[in-house]
Amino acid sequence: MKKALALLTLVLLVASVSAQQTETFSFTITTSMSSAATIGNSFTVTLTASRSSGTGSITCSIDYDTTAFVLSGSASQGPYTLSSSNTNQQVSWTLQGNKTGTYNIDTECHGSSISRSTSNSVSITAPPDLTLTLTPEPSTVYSGKSFNLTFRIVNNGGAVEGASAVLSLPSGLSTSGNTTQNPTIGALDTVLVRWVVNTSGSGTKSINVSFTASNAHSEAKTASVVISASKLGSNMYCEGNDWCGSGNCSNSFCRGEGTTTTTTTTTTTTTTTTIINCQRDACSPSRRCGHGYGDCDTNNDCAAGTACTYDEGFSYGCPRWVDVCISTVTTTTTTTTSISTTTTTTTTTTTLTPSLPQCHMHRCTPVSPCTSGYGDCDSNNDCAAGTACTYDIGFSYGCQRWVDVCV
């Protein structure tokens, strides 16, 4: 009887050991990787295999679009043994994207009778393609006044990571804002970084902005601004009459006064009218302007032989938005003094048809919407189909900075 009990105990012990040795092998896998990368930059795919039960050997591999990626190393790795002493096994691959798009990255581990797989996606974008400009507005300023400094970043490529713009100012210039700014620059994006700069002293000052990004080239931009210790001369930017010496500040530019005399061969009467050139609505039917003077609204505001031509101000020393009376005749004799014009015998007449003024305040309306490049607009309803009212970009279209333009 004792022998039988001993034999039964031995059989049970052997069965228990056998059961432990033949425990079913099982495992799980997880994969981690970046969801986005740029062309030419590498990223890592990391797989972790975790033992659930039993002991077994596994081999792991990665599957990807070979036209879109370059793999560093072997696609298949292993074998690895998962057991009670090695419950987790990490496997990694390094890929480099060379074509834009969104792609699946598949990973798999398999044993003798079991396999596990995962699938993840990654978007490959073009690298940043940046154009940088630095512009002081205005470039000449009266000492003690401030000016706007605009750092324009145009990105024609993929999103920029870790962007930083650092402003360096010489003595005589200062800003109350942060000299370091970290703009967010998306793919196919345009970003404006601005500072308000205060001035003192006089002379030409050099301003520097250094740009860096973790996935784009570093670049420095330099611009100059002239600080004037005295009142500004004619046609210079101003913010009040105290900027302009003996002149006056009209529509943000220093202007002087003068007398316009117009004489024709059909009359012996000389009419003399005092006009401040470039002032809004300076010309009228009762005070007609001669060649080169404005601002006019219609041909009735201009002297005989001239026509009101829109947005010609810059050609005559005025802001661009000024509409100027321009001669429409060829004459045998023309005599010009400081701000007077004498016109005699008319031989040829050409009619000018004024177009929509480009930069007039509130010129665009829902009844008369503007096309691309024209302003000033207040909302998208003021713009033609396919364009939108974009604020404070007048300088980009030859207007004053405050002009809102349909783009």
Side-chain angles (χ1 to χ4, degrees), residues 134-136 149 205-209 221-225:
L134 181 63
T135 306
L149 182 66
K205 305 292 184 178
S206 181
I207 306 166
N208 179 271
V209 172
K221 286 295 180 180
T222 301
S224 296
V225 62

Side-chain angles (χ1 to χ4, degrees), residues 40-246:
N41 288 338
S42 299
F43 63 96
T44 299
V45 180
T46 301
L47 178 150
T48 301
S50 301
R51 171 184 173 272
S52 299
S53 62
T55 299
S57 178
I58 61 171
T59 299
C60 300
S61 61
I62 188 170
D63 186 29
Y64 57 94
D65 187 338
T66 56
T67 66
F69 299 95
V70 175
L71 173 67
S72 177
S74 174
S76 179
Q77 298 191 36
Y80 306 100
T81 299
L82 292 177
S83 64
S84 59
S85 61
N86 182 35
T87 58
N88 293 291
Q89 178 66 50
Q90 277 198 345
V91 186
S92 62
W93 298 268
T94 300
L95 292 173
Q96 177 180 293
N98 59 16
K99 187 169 68 173
T100 59
T102 300
Y103 305 93
N104 286 333
I105 305 295
D106 301 322
T107 57
E108 180 187 25
C109 292
H110 62 271
S112 59
S113 61
I114 184 173
S115 67
R116 298 285 186 268
S117 63
T118 64
S119 182
N120 294 273
S121 64
V122 59
S123 295
I124 305 300
T125 60
D129 180 12
L130 303 178
T131 300
L132 311 177
T133 55
L134 181 63
T135 306
E137 304 173 83
S139 58
T140 299
V141 64
Y142 181 35
S143 179
K145 303 296 182 178
S146 61
F147 64 92
N148 293 320
L149 182 66
T150 301
F151 186 55
R152 184 183 180 92
I153 306 167
V154 179
N155 181 20
N156 292 315
V160 179
E161 299 174 4
S164 174
V166 180
L167 171 65
S168 297
L169 295 172
S171 60
L173 300 182
S174 63
T175 181
S176 57
N178 293 327
T179 55
T180 299
Q181 297 196 37
N182 303 105
T184 299
I185 309 168
L188 305 177
D189 198 5
T190 297
V191 175
L192 301 180
V193 180
R194 289 191 171 102
W195 293 271
V196 176
V197 181
N198 306 311
T199 67
S200 63
S202 62
T204 300
K205 305 292 184 178
S206 181
I207 306 166
N208 179 271
V209 172
S210 297
F211 177 84
T212 58
S214 59
N215 66 335
H217 67 278
S218 299
E219 187 173 348
K221 286 295 180 180
T222 301
S224 296
V225 62
V226 177
I227 311 301
S228 175
S230 59
K231 305 294 183 180
L232 301 178
S234 181
N235 298 330
M236 301 304 295
Y237 174 85
C238 58
E239 294 181 1
N241 289 339
D242 61 322
W243 287 44
C244 301
S246 59

Side-chain angles (χ1 to χ4, degrees), residues 263-266 304 329-335 341-347:
T263 304
T264 67
T265 56
T266 59
V329 300
T330 301
T331 61
T332 56
T333 304
T334 299
T335 304
T341 303
T342 300
T343 306
T344 57
T345 308
T346 300
T347 58

